[in-house]
Amino acid sequence: MRFTKMHGRGDDFIVVDEPVTIDAPRARALCDRHVGIGADGIVIIGAPIGRRWPLVIHNSDGSVADVCGNGSRCVALHLLDRHGGDEGEIFVADPGREDLIALATASAALAGPANVAVVAAQGAGELALRVHKRGVAETLACGTGSCPAVAAAIARGDVTSDTVRVKLPSGTLIVRPRGERYELAGPAEYVFQGEL
């Protein structure tokens, strides 16, 4: 297994640029700072789909992380240096055209069930978003996907508004970035009650 050691502001990672399977004991051994390579985590880069690469992130305790901003930044630098260009397809032109099932299948092959999202910036205060939830398939709306999508759009400079409309297949949610807190607003409605 070939690897690259990287860090983002001291948060350090073993970056593996090939789809390999690492179990929890192996992740702990590789991350051990005394008898292993030493790292806060391991990032496995899967086979690309266009200019998108699925990632599996192992924490140093052997668990699989849902997300890691510093690890993702390191991988972005690694991939751009290796493949050229100045951006990946973290965001897409039109979420409706993306094969969300293929993206989710590729991610699940590497990490097991995971949430996968595709997002497009549509102005300073609006995003379009589709989410494939683990254990659910494509969902009509996703609040937990909307907030990080807005955070990513802010980090990229695509969103500058203090109120962001996130368009989902079933309608729009409102996300208000407030420093490290995000407010999420949208309808909640009763469907029916029953008794057996």
Side-chain angles (χ1 to χ4, degrees):
M1 179 181 83
R2 298 176 65 156
F3 70 91
T4 302
K5 178 77 181 282
M6 299 184 76
H7 80 91
R9 289 280 189 203
D11 196 6
D12 60 339
F13 303 92
I14 300 164
V15 177
V16 180
D17 196 353
E18 61 180 308
V20 298
T21 301
I22 295 178
D23 60 15
R26 184 74 173 143
R28 287 191 297 271
L30 290 169
C31 290
D32 188 285
R33 295 194 184 276
H34 299 287
V35 296
I37 298 166
D40 291 318
I42 303 168
V43 183
I44 309 293
I45 303 171
I49 302 168
R51 285 186 57 83
R52 293 182 300 275
W53 289 263
L55 304 178
V56 177
I57 303 165
H58 297 271
N59 294 316
S60 60
D61 69 357
S63 63
V64 176
D66 287 331
V67 69
C68 178
N70 286 326
S72 297
R73 287 189 311 107
C74 289
V75 167
L77 174 63
H78 172 80
L79 291 171
L80 292 173
D81 283 348
R82 183 169 177 199
H83 298 283
D86 58 4
E87 66 180 36
E89 292 179 4
I90 299 165
F91 278 62
V92 297
D94 179 2
R97 292 184 175 182
E98 297 298 316
D99 189 344
L100 200 54
I101 293 172
L103 290 170
T105 301
S107 295
L110 289 170
N115 292 354
V116 175
V118 289
V119 62
Q122 298 186 327
E126 191 167 283
L127 300 176
L129 177 69
R130 289 176 59 210
V131 178
H132 187 283
K133 282 185 168 179
R134 61 180 171 243
V136 177
E138 185 169 358
T139 184
L140 295 177
C142 183
T144 56
S146 295
C147 291
V150 170
I154 289 170
R156 285 171 39 102
D158 293 329
V159 164
T160 55
S161 176
D162 64 352
T163 300
V164 181
R165 298 172 47 82
V166 180
K167 297 190 306 187
L168 296 138
S170 66
T172 301
L173 292 175
I174 304 298
V175 176
R176 295 182 189 94
R178 301 292 184 258
E180 293 186 10
R181 267 186 62 215
Y182 283 67
E183 296 175 359
L184 176 66
E189 301 173 20
Y190 291 103
V191 178
F192 61 82
Q193 293 180 331
E195 185 176 325
L196 293 174

